[in-house]
Amino acid sequence: MEKRESSGGSGSGDAEVRKGPWTMEEDLILINYIANHGEGVWNSLAKSAGLKRTGKSCRLRWLNYLRPDVRRGNITPEEQLTIMELHAKWGNRWSKIAKHLPGRTDNEIKNFWRTKIQKYIIKSGETTTVGSQSSEFINHHATTSHVMNDTQETMDMYSPTTSYQHASNINQQLNYGNYVPESGSIMMPLSVDQSEQNYWSVDDLWPMNIYNGN
DNA sequence: AATTAGTCCAACCGCATAACG
DNA sequence: CCGTTATGCGGTTGGACTAAT
């Protein structure tokens, strides 16, 4: 159960385990290694690739960011609707929901839900239900699955027949009209020197990978 | 211009479960 | 079976960035 993975090892040599933001070099190493050897067996992969990262960290980086088929940003209204409907069905089963949204990661969906939809639900809940429980109550239902029969309001909120309206309301709030970047071209800060505004994108890494002769 | 508050998301942590010897 | 290790999942957090004051 990867119990002592991040503990730095009980004894001896394996010394520092890097944490925090990934550098471009690390990304390249990981991409190259996986291109050559495939993914899986993350602990030994991390070692063999020469990364001072835990296998867990490598896996996460790969699955959530470096994988070539991962779509980033710009969650469409259709995807949003899917998220809302599936969340109503399954609750916080993010990975399960993600399986129905090709290219989306559970992490991204989870973040999207928490930062956009949940907030909207709480907000609208506060304006429609007067007094006490409202936000706590709605918050509860936004973060847990099952039993949606407490109030008609909550039912409506999750009803497939009305969820599209909610989706479009949220779309308005999110300003989808001028929502920005094309998928796959998100820029990320160069963590080698975070004070500088240097960026690279995942798109930049893949050609480099090929160039390196993988 | 400086400071504070709010937002967003990458990455971490802990736990559950699957796989293996 | 049982113990150990690997993997996957969901919750949470740190900090960069942006907007508001």
Side-chain angles (χ1 to χ4, degrees):
Chain A
M1 307 167 188
E2 50 87 16
K3 280 173 184 159
R4 43 222 51 189
E5 192 172 33
S6 57
S7 66
S10 43
S12 67
D14 45 297
E16 357 84 90
V17 175
R18 272 187 55 80
K19 287 184 184 180
W22 280 65
T23 66
M24 188 181 181
E25 287 76 18
E26 289 177 306
D27 280 345
L28 271 171
I29 291 170
L30 185 57
I31 289 171
N32 267 321
Y33 192 89
I34 290 175
N36 289 328
H37 302 91
E39 53 184 291
V41 205
W42 293 102
N43 278 328
S44 58
L45 183 153
K47 262 187 202 155
S48 314
L51 289 163
K52 294 184 170 62
R53 295 276 180 173
T54 64
K56 200 174 192 173
S57 176
C58 292
R59 175 184 162 270
L60 206 65
R61 182 64 176 171
W62 174 253
L63 292 179
N64 286 344
Y65 207 92
L66 296 175
R67 242 178 15 178
D69 58 319
V70 67
R71 293 174 59 205
R72 305 175 44 70
N74 204 16
I75 299 233
T76 66
E78 289 75 23
E79 288 176 314
Q80 184 185 303
L81 181 60
T82 305
I83 291 169
M84 292 177 75
E85 287 179 349
L86 295 183
H87 186 273
K89 230 193 260 180
W90 297 325
N92 298 359
R93 307 298 306 278
W94 305 117
S95 64
K96 198 172 177 181
I97 293 171
K99 286 191 176 84
H100 289 73
L101 294 160
R104 299 294 184 187
T105 68
D106 56 345
N107 208 30
E108 188 176 17
I109 292 168
K110 178 172 58 182
N111 281 333
F112 178 77
W113 179 269
R114 294 181 77 88
T115 59
K116 305 279 172 54
I117 298 180
Q118 188 172 26
K119 190 177 300 170
Y120 171 81
I121 289 172
I122 290 170
K123 199 172 160 189
S124 62
E126 277 168 353
T127 59
T128 52
T129 56
V130 186
S132 56
Q133 345 143 286
S134 60
S135 69
E136 205 180 282
F137 172 76
I138 289 165
N139 187 36
H140 169 76
H141 283 280
T143 52
T144 55
S145 50
H146 49 262
V147 278
M148 290 304 174
N149 56 353
D150 295 42
T151 69
Q152 188 56 46
E153 183 186 40
T154 314
M155 286 290 285
D156 289 346
M157 191 165 292
Y158 282 88
S159 153
T161 57
T162 56
S163 60
Y164 189 82
Q165 294 163 11
H166 284 284
S168 56
N169 286 343
I170 295 170
N171 289 343
Q172 286 172 9
Q173 289 219 334
L174 297 182
N175 243 333
Y176 267 117
N178 40 16
Y179 194 52
V180 278
E182 260 317 298
S183 61
S185 60
I186 295 290
M187 309 302 278
M188 52 188 176
L190 189 68
S191 51
V192 175
D193 182 354
Q194 298 188 347
S195 65
E196 289 183 8
Q197 291 290 49
N198 296 328
Y199 294 90
W200 80 92
S201 74
V202 180
D203 285 346
D204 295 332
L205 291 175
W206 278 95
M208 290 171 80
N209 166 49
I210 292 161
Y211 178 77
N212 283 345
N214 50 69

